[in-house]
Every structure is written in structure tokens, then in C-alpha cells.
Amino acid sequence: MVQSVYSNAWAALTGKAGTTATAQLFAGKAASSPTPNKAETASVNASTAPAGDTVAVSKLGKALSGLAAKAFEHLDSDSKKQLEGLVESGRVSADDAVKGLRSLAKNALFNRFVTESGHSAEEQQMSDRMKVAHEQGAAAAKATENPEYWSALKEMDQLGEARKNGSVSQEEVSAMHRSVSERLKGTTPPGAIHVSDEERSLMGAVFTSKANRFADLNFGDDDRETSSTTDKIASKDELDAADRLFAAGFKLENNAMARFAADYDIPGLGKGTMPAWFSFKPVSR
């Protein structure tokens, strides 16, 4: 699941769903900011206490900092409680919780950047070429469409049923299969678009350019990374931590990360429009 988190950005950029080897694309794009002091964060379990009393700070509350802390604040209360519970029970470590949240936060920021940042001059040129390649591919696919395509597929289904109930011999099945296959040879299903190597290459080039521009942004103190992470956008240990987080049962059933990204002051973009809560369950707010 999490290894393909950047497919949303890819879809926003190209109009096509899919996954990409994100970690490879971003290799070498290391964070450049100095290591800041650990951010002070309040525990969700902290209670109001008179002066002089001790306020308990949870394991997660002690570990949260930077992007992870800001992302945590945009979770609904149910998700916060669930994450706290996973850490307190030992099902996930506080370190994994922080890295997993950081991975989700980066993904949300990158998705917003791809959608709202617009094209550079070079990206616009590649996008225009990609549009021409796409139109050429659509025209080529249209030319090879077989109007009898679905009829032939229906015959194939009927042939399979006839074979199952024994109403035709194996020799008849083979002969009919060859006949239908010959009719379909060299044709394209109606509505199918072949993505040419040129178009695929241009998609990758534009996506990589966007990724590099995003990696060059200066997020100040939020650029902090642990010594085990090397990439600003997609580090393997953060992606792996997010995988472990979801494997342990963590649920993110609303657009909390989109709200986090909209509320974040991205360099050059500022803050976006905060979307309304969307959830598959009631949000405890």
C-alpha cells in the first residue's frame, strides 16, 4: 500500500493511475537543512494539573516532532487515540509511528505541490509533446478497433461454457478458438489507448522534474531527517515504517493528510483551501 503512495501525484500529473519506483527517482535528493533541536510536543494523554504536579507525557508525545507532529495534529481524535494505543501496547514503536506519519505527510505535501505548482517552462514543453503523443496514440488505437470485438469475446465465453458441459468436442473447441483468435489478431479493444514509449518517457521526465523541484524547496526546521534517512521526499525506512503502521491496524479513513497539506505553508504556494472533513465513519471532533 504505502510503497505506492506517490501514485496519487502521478495520477494528478498525468491523468493516469499507476505506481512508480519513487525511491529510485528521488535517490540523491538529500535534505540539506541542519539538524535542529527536537520540537516540544504535547501528549494527547497530558491532563491539566495544578502547579507542582507531574503531567504524564506518552511515548508517542515524547517522540513526535517536525512534520510528523504537525500531521498528527490534523488527525481526528479517533485516529490519534488509535495511534497512541498502538504505541503504548508495543504493537508499533514510537519511532515507526513518527516515521510513518512523516512519510504520509511528505506524500500529502508532494501531491499538493504537483497539483498546484504549475509547470516550469521545460515541463510545459514536455507536457505539450506528451499531449501530441497521446493524441497520436488515441488515433492509432481508433484505427485498429474491431467493431466485432465484443461479439468475438462473447463467442469465446460461449465456447468455454460449451467445453465445460461437453456439448462440443475438443477438436471443435480448438478449431473455433483458432477462428475467433484470428478475427481478434492485431486489433485493439474499443476505448483502449496504447501508451507509446515516447509518452511514457515524457510522463516520467515531467514527474521527475516535479520531484526534483519539490526536493529543492526549503521547509526550514521541518526538513529534519534521522540519520538513517537519505531522501527528502521518499526514504525507504519511512515507507517501511508506514507499511508496518498500517499492518498493525492503523486506519486513516478520512482526508486528514489532505487537510494537513492544505494548512501547511508550502514555499512558493503558501497555504491552500482547507477541505471539509470527509470520512467513512463519524469523525470524533
Side-chain angles (χ1 to χ4, degrees), residues 110-281:
F110 182 55
N111 283 338
R112 186 181 157 218
F113 178 80
V114 168
T115 303
E116 299 180 15
S117 65
H119 287 325
S120 66
E122 183 180 12
E123 289 167 358
Q124 187 60 56
Q125 291 177 354
M126 291 189 290
S127 180
D128 291 342
R129 287 166 54 198
M130 188 165 59
K131 181 179 179 181
V132 172
H134 178 76
E135 291 174 348
Q136 291 174 340
K142 185 70 175 177
T144 59
E145 282 184 5
N146 186 342
E148 296 183 359
Y149 183 87
W150 298 117
S151 175
L153 287 187
K154 184 177 181 180
E155 288 185 33
M156 291 285 273
D157 289 338
Q158 293 172 341
L159 181 59
E161 289 299 320
R163 182 180 180 181
K164 287 180 182 178
N165 60 38
S167 61
V168 293
S169 66
Q170 181 59 47
E171 290 75 12
E172 290 174 312
V173 169
S174 297
M176 294 170 68
H177 188 276
R178 284 195 299 271
S179 175
V180 175
S181 296
E182 190 65 30
R183 288 164 56 191
L184 293 177
K185 186 180 298 183
T187 65
T188 302
I193 302 293
H194 173 69
V195 180
S196 67
D197 290 341
E198 179 187 13
E199 185 180 359
R200 187 176 292 105
S201 176
L202 287 167
M203 287 179 190
V206 174
F207 186 82
T208 300
S209 177
K210 289 276 190 180
N212 288 338
R213 286 172 54 204
F214 181 82
D216 288 336
L217 295 178
N218 181 5
F219 290 131
D221 287 348
D222 287 338
D223 266 338
R224 70 170 291 278
E225 301 286 357
T226 64
S227 59
S228 60
T229 58
T230 56
D231 298 329
K232 176 176 178 178
I233 302 177
S235 62
K236 185 178 185 304
D237 60 333
E238 288 173 351
L239 291 171
D240 289 345
D243 273 334
R244 290 190 289 270
L245 198 58
F246 285 109
F250 180 59
K251 296 183 184 300
L252 196 62
E253 298 184 279
N254 50 54
N255 59 345
M257 291 299 98
R259 288 171 59 85
F260 154 74
D263 197 37
Y264 194 91
D265 188 359
I266 297 178
L269 290 181
K271 292 189 177 185
T273 301
M274 180 72 78
W277 276 105
F278 172 78
S279 179
F280 297 111
K281 67 177 183 180

